[in-house]
């Protein structure tokens, strides 16, 4: 016989069972829930005495504050590391590659590493000149060599087929630029230009240069000078930007020229960052110059430039515009690259295109005549370095650029290390070409034709 349970009783039992089950399943480490308030106790029942308050926990001992990390030392004004991206491991590995302080012994020079096109030969012209940089030549065949890091100007004499290196003068400050005209050697230091008259008669007499021009800034950044004498018999030199890429005053970022006695100074071109090489087209007499692009914009931009001056006063865009078509991310606002003279050729990213010469000799095949050789010193702020070669710039008949291609390679090896670094190139009367190398403190000679051993070598 089935007994019927009232519906209300069944519902009450079910709710009680669910409540008991939920309490049993509560995690053991969970805090207990506060019970529901009880019904009011009868008035005769005394209220329970409050439990004594727990003793306060002892205050924790004060913890000494960690010392703030020391701020990195401030970089000197004009440092090439200014602007390097912070907290970037790849960029942190990039820094200028210093030249060795001593010249490489002649029998240790990496002649076997340098490669030239078929028919061309490379040999050692002279060695033993630490930080050999810009070159100049006189009528007797003496080669003068400046230095950026040393205090010396060298003279390489060539007598009876034997070459000898002399320290012509010492005690100078960054005597990078040298030029020669009618018996006088001109020397460009960081902040002044001087001359030595009758220099051939003073090769071994340690002559004292006579200052002819001092109105130059003393900034270390891009303060070393290139010096050349134009078809107008005037001295030409640059005043670079006083930093990586900076807004500067009216006395920086320009080319100047003056008379050989230091008078009649003119500013002839603007918007130049750092040119360390220029020469004149032998047909048009227009001035062509290399210019190094800014650092820390990226590893692959901007390119170095080859520029051409077609009229006095032209502006080539720095620091507002790079390689003719890239506004500077900081200073380019409000400036249009179309307002500046674009380069006639791009020489590669951070290539450090330095010395350049039109080839005017007759030893090389005819297709090289009146073309440009450029010494690309090679990059330092690229993970995979670029440059480290002599580039050949082929021109069209109107002086524009047809192509840029490597000519002599091997200064930068496949392992991303330098064994030599070209700085300047110069024609010799016999049609050969010299290349200065500040890494080894040497001068190389390039010839064409049968490889004949040079007397005295």
């Amino acid at each position: 016989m089935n007994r019927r349970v009232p519906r209300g009783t069944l519902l009450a039992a079910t709710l009680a069972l669910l409540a008991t089950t939920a309490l049993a399943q509560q995690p053991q480490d969970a805090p207990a829930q506060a019970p529901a308030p009880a019904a009011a106790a009868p008035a005769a029942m005394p209220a329970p005495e409050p439990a004594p308050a727990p003793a306060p926990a002892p205050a924790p001992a004060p913890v000494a504050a960690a010392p703030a990390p020391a701020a990195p030392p401030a970089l000197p004004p004009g440092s090439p590391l200014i602007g390097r991206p912070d907290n970037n491991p790849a960029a942190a590995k990039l820094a200028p590659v210093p030249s060795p302080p001593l010249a490489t012994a002649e029998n240790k020079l990496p002649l076997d590493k340098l490669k030239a096109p078929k028919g061309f030969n490379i040999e050692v012209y002279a060695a033993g000149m630490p930080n050999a940089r810009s070159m100049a030549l006189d009528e007797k065949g003496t080669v003068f060599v400046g230095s950026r890091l040393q205090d010396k100007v060298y003279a390489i004499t060539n007598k009876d087929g034997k070459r000898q290196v002399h320290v012509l003068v010492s005690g100078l400050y960054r005597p990078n630029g040298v030029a020669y005209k009618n018996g006088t050697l001109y020397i460009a230091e960081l902040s002044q230009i001087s001359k030595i008259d009758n220099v051939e008669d003073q090769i071994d007499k340690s002559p004292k240069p006579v200052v002819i021009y001092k109105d130059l800034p003393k900034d270390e950044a891009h303060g070393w000078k290139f010096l050349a004498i134009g078809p107008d018999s005037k001295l030409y030199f640059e005043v670079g930007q006083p930093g990586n890429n900076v807004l500067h005053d009216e006395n920086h970022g320009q080319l100047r020229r003056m008379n050989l006695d230091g008078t009649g100074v003119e500013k002839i071109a603007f918007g130049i960052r750092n040119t360390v090489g220029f020469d004149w087209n032998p047909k048009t007499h227009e001035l062509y110059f290399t210019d190094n692009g800014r650092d820390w914009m990226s590893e692959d931009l901007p390119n170095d430039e080859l520029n051409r001056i077609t009229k006095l006063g032209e502006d080539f865009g720095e620091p507002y515009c790079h390689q003719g078509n890239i506004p500077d991310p900081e200073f380019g606002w409000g400036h249009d690259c179309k307002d500046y003279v674009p380069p006639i050729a791009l020489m590669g990213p951070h290539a450090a295109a330095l010395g350049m010469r039109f080839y005017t000799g007759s030893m090389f095949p005819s297709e090289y005549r009146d073309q440009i050789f450029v010494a690309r010193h090679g990059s330092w702020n690229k993970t995979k370095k670029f440059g480290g070669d002599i580039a050949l710039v082929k021109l069209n008949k109107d002086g524009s650029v047809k192509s840029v291609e490597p000519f002599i390679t091997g200064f930068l090896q496949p392992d991303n290390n330098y064994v030599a670094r070209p700085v300047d190139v110069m024609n010799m009367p016999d049609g050969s070409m010299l290349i200065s190398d500040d890494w080894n403190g040497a001068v190389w000679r390039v010839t064409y034709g049968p490889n004949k051993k040079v007397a005295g070598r």
Side-chain angles (χ1 to χ4, degrees):
M1 175 176 167
N2 293 330
R3 185 176 178 179
R4 190 168 184 173
V5 180
R7 181 179 298 174
T9 303
L10 180 61
L11 178 60
T14 302
L15 291 174
L17 178 62
L18 289 173
T20 303
T21 304
L23 182 62
Q25 291 179 345
Q26 206 171 30
Q28 296 301 306
D29 58 350
Q33 293 182 357
M45 184 178 292
E49 298 205 0
V63 179
L75 295 169
S79 168
L81 299 183
I82 293 175
R84 184 168 64 177
D86 296 328
N87 304 317
N88 187 311
K93 297 177 182 178
L94 303 178
V97 184
S99 300
L102 302 177
T104 304
E106 185 170 344
N107 62 351
K108 300 292 185 181
L109 288 170
L111 181 60
D112 60 324
K113 303 289 187 183
L114 305 185
K115 307 299 181 186
K118 184 177 180 181
F120 288 88
N121 314 293
I122 307 173
E123 62 189 33
V124 178
Y125 187 80
M129 298 164 289
N131 201 238
R133 297 276 295 186
S134 301
M135 297 181 290
L137 178 71
D138 74 10
E139 300 91 346
K140 292 187 176 182
T142 298
V143 176
F144 300 99
V145 184
S147 171
R148 181 169 74 92
L149 301 179
Q150 300 289 320
D151 66 343
K152 299 172 176 59
V153 171
Y154 307 95
I156 308 170
T157 57
N158 191 344
K159 186 175 182 180
D160 300 328
K162 294 184 178 181
R163 291 187 288 277
Q164 183 178 355
V165 173
H166 310 255
V167 174
L168 173 67
V169 60
S170 58
L172 306 178
Y173 191 69
R174 302 203 187 287
N176 184 84
V178 289
Y180 176 86
K181 181 81 171 179
N182 295 334
T184 299
L185 179 70
Y186 300 88
I187 302 171
E189 298 178 68
L190 183 82
S191 61
Q192 64 183 23
I193 297 174
S194 57
K195 68 174 184 176
I196 300 174
D197 291 325
N198 303 313
V199 64
E200 269 290 343
D201 298 332
Q202 304 188 67
I203 296 292
D204 294 311
K205 296 180 181 179
S206 299
K208 182 176 177 56
V210 176
V211 176
I212 61 172
Y213 185 65
K214 297 186 69 171
D215 187 18
L216 289 168
K218 296 184 178 180
D219 308 283
E220 289 290 337
H222 307 144
W224 53 95
K225 306 286 183 291
F226 185 80
L227 195 61
I229 299 174
D232 53 3
S233 294
K234 291 179 181 285
L235 276 170
Y236 286 72
F237 54 95
E238 91 288 355
V239 182
Q241 278 195 32
N244 171 28
N245 194 64
V246 295
L247 291 176
H248 51 75
D249 60 25
E250 61 182 10
N251 293 320
H252 290 82
Q254 60 197 233
L255 271 172
R256 300 182 191 178
R257 70 178 178 184
M258 66 184 183
N259 300 322
L260 296 179
D261 62 0
T263 63
V265 180
E266 301 173 87
K267 300 174 183 179
I268 65 167
F270 303 90
I272 295 167
R273 181 177 177 271
N274 181 36
T275 176
V276 198
F278 41 84
D279 195 16
W280 287 262
N281 187 315
K283 294 181 177 178
T284 66
H285 301 301
E286 292 175 330
L287 176 62
Y288 288 61
F289 67 93
T290 58
D291 200 11
N292 292 175
R294 65 157 293 175
D295 300 324
W296 306 123
M297 187 171 168
S298 81
E299 290 204 36
D300 298 311
L301 292 172
N303 279 252
D304 286 2
E305 302 174 1
L306 179 65
N307 294 292
R308 174 176 58 172
I309 297 176
T310 58
K311 62 182 179 180
L312 297 182
E314 289 179 318
D315 192 323
F316 293 85
E318 299 289 347
Y320 309 108
C321 180
H322 311 296
Q323 70 172 48
N325 57 6
I326 300 178
D328 185 75
E330 182 177 2
F331 302 129
W333 298 91
H335 295 269
D336 191 334
C337 287
K338 294 179 181 178
D339 294 335
Y340 305 104
V341 179
I344 61 170
L346 301 181
M347 299 303 297
H350 310 300
L354 302 183
M356 56 152 287
R357 293 287 196 284
F358 283 84
Y359 180 72
T360 56
S362 57
M363 177 186 288
F364 296 0
S366 59
E367 60 263 31
Y368 294 94
R369 189 169 179 85
D370 298 332
Q371 309 303 299
I372 305 173
F373 288 107
V374 179
R376 295 195 288 199
H377 197 233
S379 58
W380 58 265
N381 56 342
K382 274 180 64 66
T383 301
K384 177 63 175 177
K385 297 182 179 69
F386 177 80
D389 60 12
I390 301 298
L392 170 63
V393 179
K394 293 182 178 179
L395 302 178
N396 298 307
K397 290 183 178 180
D398 63 358
S400 62
V401 171
K402 179 189 301 183
S403 64
V404 178
E405 58 194 55
F407 176 68
I408 296 177
T409 61
F411 299 89
L412 175 61
Q413 288 289 293
D415 64 1
N416 208 35
N417 289 310
Y418 293 106
V419 297
R421 298 191 78 179
V423 177
D424 197 12
V425 293
M426 187 174 70
N427 297 314
M428 294 296 281
D430 64 355
S432 63
M433 182 175 70
L434 299 187
I435 304 168
S436 63
D437 172 3
D438 65 351
W439 186 265
N440 292 294
V443 173
W444 307 93
R445 179 172 180 250
V446 181
T447 59
Y448 182 81
N451 188 5
K452 298 180 179 178
K453 182 176 175 61
V454 177
R457 284 284 180 265

